[in-house]
Amino acid sequence: YVQADLTDFAQAEAVVAKAVEVFGKVNKLVCCAGVTFIGSLESTTNESFMRELSINLGGVFNMCKAAVPELKKQEDATIVTIGSDLGVHPIPERIGYCPSKAGVIMLTKCIALEYAPYIRANCVLPGLVRTPMIEQRFQEAQDPAALEESYASLYPLHKMGKVEDMANAVSFLSGPESGFITGEIMHVCGGSLI
């Protein structure tokens, strides 16, 4: 495990260097770090907006840029980025989050086009996933069951995603079973984009 501020390219390079030191190579990259700030155009400061873009989009750019020299040395190298269903379907009060995730989607497509046939790049679009951050929201809610129901009701499958759902999608897009897939978006969001 390497803790790093991925908005700093030098730290992203250090992550890749440590991976090469420990594993001898980098043949797969998964970009999964991100934050969600709540706010509208009027209530969000420029600093907050730029920080969210820097983490959610800039961090993906930095990790991909740092990893590509190592990925190019490998056969069947892959990049999987984590976008969001909100990158294609905005909701109120996410003035920084939605555009940052839309940027991740387009960055992934650009990387896929630029580095084919040597590196495949695809993007997973999760909906709400039962992560520790979401579990904390339930714990802090006045009515956890009502909050959970409100989240589940956003999706035709009437449930939230599990971390395992995302891991399975990433595993598929990183593996040989998806060898003819690049530049694509995999919706793993309970049908929210139907």
Side-chain angles (χ1 to χ4, degrees):
Y1 176 77
V2 178
Q3 184 173 345
D5 175 355
L6 301 180
T7 66
D8 178 351
F9 180 65
Q11 291 189 46
E13 287 182 307
V15 170
V16 172
K18 185 65 173 179
V20 171
E21 176 187 321
V22 172
F23 301 108
K25 64 181 179 180
V26 173
N27 62 341
K28 310 291 179 196
L29 175 66
V30 178
C31 297
C32 188
V35 295
T36 305
F37 300 152
I38 297 174
S40 67
L41 180 63
E42 292 180 293
S43 69
T44 300
T45 65
N46 181 271
E47 293 77 18
S48 177
F49 179 79
M50 295 309 291
R51 179 77 178 142
E52 195 163 12
L53 286 178
S54 181
I55 293 168
N56 292 354
L57 180 56
V60 173
F61 174 87
N62 285 341
M63 281 306 302
C64 291
K65 184 174 178 66
V68 156
E70 292 298 325
L71 290 167
K72 286 167 53 176
K73 297 175 185 178
Q74 307 301 319
E75 287 194 26
D76 296 325
T78 60
I79 296 171
V80 179
T81 60
I82 307 299
S84 170
D85 58 345
L86 299 184
V88 295
H89 180 75
I91 63 171
E93 297 289 314
R94 299 299 185 282
I95 198 68
Y97 185 78
C98 294
S100 72
K101 291 302 186 172
V104 168
I105 294 166
M106 189 52 68
L107 177 63
T108 305
K109 288 178 173 286
C110 290
I111 291 167
L113 185 60
E114 190 167 335
Y115 289 97
Y118 308 106
I119 301 170
R120 293 186 300 107
N122 294 290
C123 186
V124 172
L125 302 189
L128 276 171
V129 178
R130 293 191 76 107
T131 62
M133 181 180 69
I134 296 295
E135 293 296 341
Q136 183 177 351
R137 287 184 195 173
F138 292 149
Q139 292 170 6
E140 294 171 354
Q142 287 184 335
D143 187 347
L147 181 60
E148 187 169 355
E149 173 59 27
S150 74
Y151 286 171
S153 70
L154 296 171
Y155 304 99
L157 291 180
H158 205 82
K159 63 181 180 178
M160 293 175 54
K162 301 183 303 254
V163 172
E164 295 83 2
D165 297 324
M166 303 314 122
N168 290 336
V170 168
S171 178
F172 171 74
L173 290 172
S174 297
E177 299 85 1
S178 64
F180 198 53
I181 299 173
T182 195
E184 294 298 334
I185 308 308
M186 180 179 279
H187 303 161
V188 188
C189 51
S192 69
L193 297 175
I194 294 173

